[in-house]
Amino acid sequence: MSEKPVKVLARNVHKSFGRNEVLRGVDMEVRAGEVACIVGPSGGGKSTFLRCINHLEKIDAGQLSVDGELIGYTQRGGKLYEMHDKEVAAQRRSIGMVFQRFNLFPHMTAAENVMSGPVVVRGDNKKQARERAIELLGRVGLGDRGDSYPMQLSGGQQQRVAIARALAMDPDLMLFDEPTSALDPELVGEVLDVMRRLAEVGMTMIVVTHEMGFAREVGDLLAFMDQGVVAEMGVPREILANPQSKRFQDFLGKVL
Amino acid sequence: MSADTREDIPAEREKPPIEAVPVRHPGRWVGAAIVAVAAAMLLHSLLTNPNWGWSLISNWILSPPILKGVGVTILLTILSMIIGLVLGIVLAIMRLSPNPVLSGTSWTFIWAFRGTPVYVQLFLWANIIALYTTLSLGIPFGPEFLTFDTKTLIPAFVAALLGLGLNEAAYMAEIVRAGILSVDEGQEEAATALGMSRMQTLRHIVLPQAMRVIVPPTGNETISMLKTTSLVIAIPLTNELFFQASAIGNRLFQPFPMAVMASLWYLFLTSILMVGQYYIERYYAKGAMRELPPTPIQKWRRRLRMGGAQA
């Protein structure tokens, strides 16, 4: 496993909002094809870290790279240059993101949502993009709901459309920000199933989640983030069976 | 037991309707009677008092100068609203820009044009010739490349458009800005995460959703604009509806019927605008409601069908 190339590398990542220091030196390494789950108490910096990976938030210090390329900066002759918005947008294209609140575009049908990235960003042909959108919707089990508006879909269905929308840009890294937290309990399973299948075909995924079962079964890596740092990290079964720190033990005691 | 009750539910059960004496509302009846009597009195006076001059109105309402006035009024309204809307969107985007020069300029524009009466602005545009006899394009404090004579550049109609359009832009800018701010932040994030640029996000994701908030006050503004065109007398631009109507009224020593006639035209035109607004609102409701509200025609059909069923 360790011979696979490093996909995401974080070294000493810091981020503050005003005086509130949210990330205080995060280190993480995720290799291609791995599924990394991040768990931890709320306010621990999980979502912020995830948002830093595709530059929705700008980091204050440290290094964050995807495929060996710094996110948001270019390095030339030992000096860092801030990237132009267009270059950042280009970097984001190969990174898919799924949000807790789905964030589907309500004025577009499911198929139009899925097409929007390829058509607007890449300038793809509309007809082909539509066919591809229907195919992607089929992959998340919604092949017949292409003409439905998000409002007409259940939460689980909306989140699956959101996953299809992210996949439409052909990303090789998927970020999931608590994808099942806003769902009714009976709808969680259908979304996790889609994610599990995505993991099986080798997608690199970083998942912020409270679903410990998913983390244990699907995850190759589990990170416990607390107070702005990765407090513990390792193979899920091992560290869940043998949590080292008191805080991780406490956290597990609450969620399991 | 549960199995039994389940079987029961879909089966045909008797539904005896509730028979109760409905609550009476005598107060409402008294109120309705008073209003009905007042309305009948008004109608009676409208029809029988000769001073309303209905025959005069019917003689003149479709006369060439009035029709031309209606045309100019409509043209002024449409063009001013287009200027207002386009410039308003630009100003709103500038106002939300992180660049302080852009947002400051937009703020100042809105401050100046919203803060002075449109009547005064119209007067100023018409008399800008008093301030600048020539307009020139060049480097500030440096050489000038192009020079125009303001007398030929700004005839009355252009002055009217500048006055009405720029004033409207200041209002539209705030309406558009409110619309943009009403769109959930997550929308912009999702679009950004897909790799869209700021402008792509604005055009494809934010503005179409903002329209839901923008359209109703814009309809309001259009109706208001239709009536504001009567102020271009400040320039003076004299071939619009109200000036034409009052000119005829003064000539005939019958100003009142002619003012009523102009009002009837304004009412007719605003009624058309209201219908248009309804359909535009319905179009932008896409995705925000589970089902689109019915068009008036659909409503009537439904009512007819239900009436037929009851009969």
Side-chain angles (χ1 to χ4, degrees), chain B residues 91 95 100-115 170:
Chain B
L91 283 167
R95 182 88 199 271
V101 175
L102 293 179
S103 64
T105 306
S106 171
W107 186 90
T108 310
F109 182 97
I110 294 167
W111 172 74
F113 281 85
R114 207 172 51 166

Side-chain angles (χ1 to χ4, degrees), chain B:
Chain B
M1 175 204 158
S2 65
D4 282 349
T5 47
R6 259 200 169 163
E7 302 257 303
D8 282 348
I9 290 168
E12 284 281 319
R13 270 179 155 185
E14 272 185 49
K15 309 182 276 189
I18 295 174
E19 282 171 29
V21 180
V23 178
R24 311 286 179 199
H25 298 280
R28 284 186 204 168
W29 283 104
V30 171
I34 293 173
V35 171
V37 168
M41 284 163 69
L42 181 66
L43 190 69
H44 175 254
S45 98
L46 275 177
L47 293 176
T48 56
N49 187 337
N51 292 335
W52 283 92
W54 293 114
S55 61
L56 199 64
I57 289 174
S58 66
N59 282 346
W60 281 93
I61 197 159
L62 293 174
S63 65
I66 293 298
L67 287 184
K68 179 148 186 279
V70 169
V72 171
T73 292
I74 292 174
L75 193 66
L76 267 178
T77 305
I78 293 174
L79 292 179
S80 307
M81 280 312 291
I82 291 174
I83 295 172
L85 188 62
V86 172
L87 192 58
I89 291 174
V90 173
L91 283 167
I93 294 171
M94 280 169 67
R95 182 88 199 271
L96 295 169
S97 159
N99 184 317
V101 175
L102 293 179
S103 64
T105 306
S106 171
W107 186 90
T108 310
F109 182 97
I110 294 167
W111 172 74
F113 281 85
R114 207 172 51 166
T116 50
V118 66
Y119 190 81
V120 176
Q121 285 175 34
L122 285 164
F123 177 81
L124 288 176
W125 279 114
N127 293 283
I128 195 149
I129 197 168
L131 284 177
Y132 300 96
T133 48
T134 60
L135 283 181
S136 58
L137 213 60
I139 299 164
F141 307 108
E144 292 170 355
F145 305 126
L146 280 169
T147 308
F148 303 97
D149 188 348
T150 50
K151 242 181 256 170
T152 52
L153 188 71
I154 310 188
F157 191 76
V158 176
L161 282 185
L162 279 171
L164 295 174
L166 297 190
N167 181 259
E168 188 54 40
Y171 283 92
M172 284 307 303
E174 289 296 277
I175 291 172
V176 172
R177 188 172 71 100
I180 290 175
L181 292 179
S182 76
V183 178
D184 181 43
E185 249 178 273
Q187 294 291 308
E188 200 179 324
E189 263 177 19
T192 308
L194 282 173
M196 289 189 200
S197 68
R198 203 172 113 82
M199 279 300 136
Q200 284 170 335
T201 304
L202 208 56
R203 190 173 142 221
H204 296 278
I205 308 302
V206 176
L207 277 181
Q209 293 182 58
M211 287 309 275
R212 251 177 69 71
V213 173
I214 293 173
V215 169
T218 304
N220 209 17
E221 288 294 308
T222 311
I223 286 171
S224 171
M225 175 63 79
L226 187 87
K227 298 174 297 173
T228 308
T229 53
S230 60
L231 295 182
V232 294
I233 185 60
I235 289 176
L237 181 71
T238 55
N239 52 2
E240 55 78 38
L241 174 60
F242 182 64
F243 187 86
Q244 287 298 318
S246 42
I248 294 167
N250 288 337
R251 213 166 60 226
L252 301 173
F253 300 108
Q254 291 278 12
F256 188 79
M258 290 297 109
V260 172
M261 181 193 69
S263 303
L264 288 176
W265 264 114
Y266 286 118
L267 269 176
F268 174 69
L269 295 174
T270 50
S271 306
I272 293 176
L273 289 175
M274 283 166 74
V275 173
Q277 182 184 347
Y278 180 83
Y279 280 93
I280 296 174
E281 273 180 33
R282 191 170 174 272
Y283 174 81
Y284 283 109
K286 235 177 17 175
M289 293 183 215
R290 260 167 229 266
E291 218 178 308
L292 285 180
T295 64
I297 296 169
Q298 288 170 341
K299 246 188 239 171
W300 274 105
R301 276 211 195 120
R302 210 168 289 176
R303 209 170 287 172
L304 279 178
R305 221 178 300 144
M306 271 169 51
Q310 276 166 14

